[in-house]
Amino acid sequence: MKKVLFNKNFSVTAAQISALRGSGYEVWASHTDAGHGMLAAAPHSFLEPRGLIGDGYADWLRRACEERGIDALVPGKERELLARHAPAFAASGTAVLAPASEETQRHLERKDEFLRAWNPATLPIPRWTTFDSLRSFDAAWDALREDGTRLCVKPARGIYASGFRVILDRPDLGSFLKGELYQMSHAAARELFAAPDLPTMLLMHTLEGAERSVDCVAWQGRLIRAVVRRKSPDGQLIEARPDLVQAAAQIARHYGLSGIFNFQTKDDLRGGTRVANMLEINARASGGLRYAMAAGVNFPRLLLDAWSGALDWDALPPVQTGLHVAEDKAVRVVRLQPEPA
């Protein structure tokens, strides 16, 4: 039985680990937090040292894998760096199932670099530019401003929705009272972006149509399966979108991806048509992968079967579409706290 390790990663990894029950793989997990859901989900686990990063972390993890006879590592923490260390891991008997080379992963993480090199023949992209000071923000604002189009900002480096805001012409009390966190006024933005240590930011047209996440698993540039999720306030809809599945296959092939990845799109409603625009590609599992797995696609199992040679490419599981899916939160006991005497 092949041993597979998921090192420290986001909480969604617990769902991937749970999906491997009965798969024939011996699943391990490691994390710095003894109460993390990854460790609770895995049959075998161990703790990582806190604060260890970089080459030192890679060396420690390689030795930890060698000591436990780990056959494959699905990297989370330091996944870009671990791709570079893959030959050293292989020499110790552990395959690093990195989604791509270190260079490719860093290219996709740098959203400005990625958009600059993106081929819009695959999917169009909204108008965008960068700024890194108040002066360049004002210039970018003037260049992109159009009647009937809102602009938004986000960091060129970041995950999930950190730093994303739609810029309003003026403060809106209604939005404030509704708790809409992803909006700010133009005046507030100018005050904020006057900071001397402003990182590179993106300014782009805000597309007002449906937002989708496309969760994918691939092996050596060949797409295995893709699930398209349309987001809504009351859950998500698993859609049949052959055009976006085709885009997923082109992305996997172009970047030579192996592993679970996702990309985000949003519809442009201008011109009376709904056209999906590319927003970003993430060489990692999305936070909403649980929704996609409800479509009958066991992403981690497909990845491991492709790596081990057990995958039957002619008998892949069908993607169930037309499903409205929602996620229920659960509570578990981490530790029993003794009652005070």
Side-chain angles (χ1 to χ4, degrees):
M1 181 180 293
K2 294 186 180 297
K3 297 182 180 181
V4 179
L5 170 67
F6 292 79
N7 70 321
K8 182 178 180 179
N9 208 338
F10 299 117
S11 58
V12 68
T13 312
Q16 296 183 53
I17 293 171
S18 296
L20 291 172
R21 290 172 186 158
S23 65
Y25 297 97
E26 183 176 306
V27 182
W28 289 68
S30 61
H31 204 282
T32 55
D33 180 4
H36 196 273
M38 283 181 60
L39 304 188
H44 309 277
S45 63
F46 58 95
L47 288 175
E48 298 185 9
R50 291 183 180 274
L52 186 60
I53 59 174
D55 292 334
Y57 174 76
D59 292 338
W60 174 86
L61 187 60
R62 178 183 54 78
R63 291 192 299 270
C65 288
E66 187 174 13
E67 290 168 3
R68 293 163 177 82
I70 300 297
D71 296 294
L73 167 67
V74 182
K77 176 182 176 179
E78 296 280 20
R79 59 179 166 78
E80 298 98 337
L81 179 71
L82 289 170
R84 188 207 309 163
H85 283 258
F89 275 80
S92 298
T94 303
V96 178
L97 306 188
S101 68
E102 181 182 27
E103 294 74 19
T104 296
Q105 291 185 72
R106 295 197 186 282
H107 170 74
L108 295 175
E109 289 293 329
R110 298 171 178 135
K111 296 179 176 62
D112 52 341
E113 182 180 309
F114 158 69
L115 288 172
R116 212 168 276 121
W118 176 251
N119 181 3
T122 302
L123 287 173
I125 57 176
R127 288 189 62 196
W128 70 283
T129 189
T130 61
F131 65 93
D132 57 9
S133 66
L134 178 58
R135 177 177 295 182
S136 58
F137 169 70
D138 288 339
W141 181 269
D142 292 340
L144 292 186
R145 188 78 170 134
E146 292 180 5
D147 289 341
T149 300
R150 298 190 298 171
L151 300 181
C152 61
V153 296
K154 63 181 177 180
R157 317 281 186 271
I159 61 172
Y160 300 147
S162 60
F164 171 81
R165 295 292 187 276
V166 174
I167 308 298
L168 306 177
D169 287 334
R170 57 188 60 84
D172 181 44
L173 179 60
S175 296
F176 172 77
L177 294 175
K178 291 177 184 176
E180 295 181 2
L181 303 178
Y182 297 115
Q183 296 181 352
M184 66 188 307
S185 68
H186 181 249
R190 293 194 75 253
E191 182 176 357
L192 189 66
F193 299 149
D197 55 349
L198 184 68
T200 300
M201 303 285 292
L202 304 185
L203 181 71
M204 58 181 15
H205 281 188
T206 302
L207 304 181
E208 307 292 352
E211 182 179 357
R212 293 175 177 84
S213 182
V214 186
D215 295 297
C216 313
V217 58
W219 183 248
Q220 297 179 345
R222 183 179 178 185
L223 182 70
I224 302 174
R225 275 291 178 256
V227 175
V228 180
R229 300 183 280 117
R230 178 160 59 86
K231 302 176 183 181
S232 69
D234 59 345
Q236 302 196 11
L237 177 66
I238 308 297
E239 292 186 321
R241 287 292 301 262
D243 57 329
L244 295 182
V245 173
Q246 181 181 4
Q250 293 173 344
I251 290 167
R253 184 169 55 251
H254 178 74
Y255 295 106
L257 298 179
S258 284
I260 301 171
F261 68 96
N262 78 96
F263 63 96
Q264 307 287 322
T265 72
K266 203 163 187 187
D267 285 353
D268 186 352
L269 303 182
R270 293 174 299 178
T273 59
R274 298 175 181 268
V275 180
N277 277 231
M278 169 64 75
L279 298 181
E280 62 183 29
I281 300 173
N282 301 297
R284 55 170 171 77
S286 71
L289 188 69
R290 294 181 183 89
Y291 294 102
M293 289 199 290
V297 178
N298 189 327
F299 288 83
R301 175 70 182 271
L302 291 173
L303 170 61
L304 294 179
D305 283 354
W307 159 71
S308 67
L311 183 65
D312 186 348
W313 288 87
D314 296 320
L316 296 175
V319 178
Q320 301 174 46
T321 59
L323 306 177
H324 194 121
V325 296
E327 184 179 11
D328 294 324
K329 294 184 178 180
V331 174
R332 59 185 172 84
V333 176
V334 176
R335 66 180 64 88
L336 182 63
Q337 187 72 27
E339 294 289 340

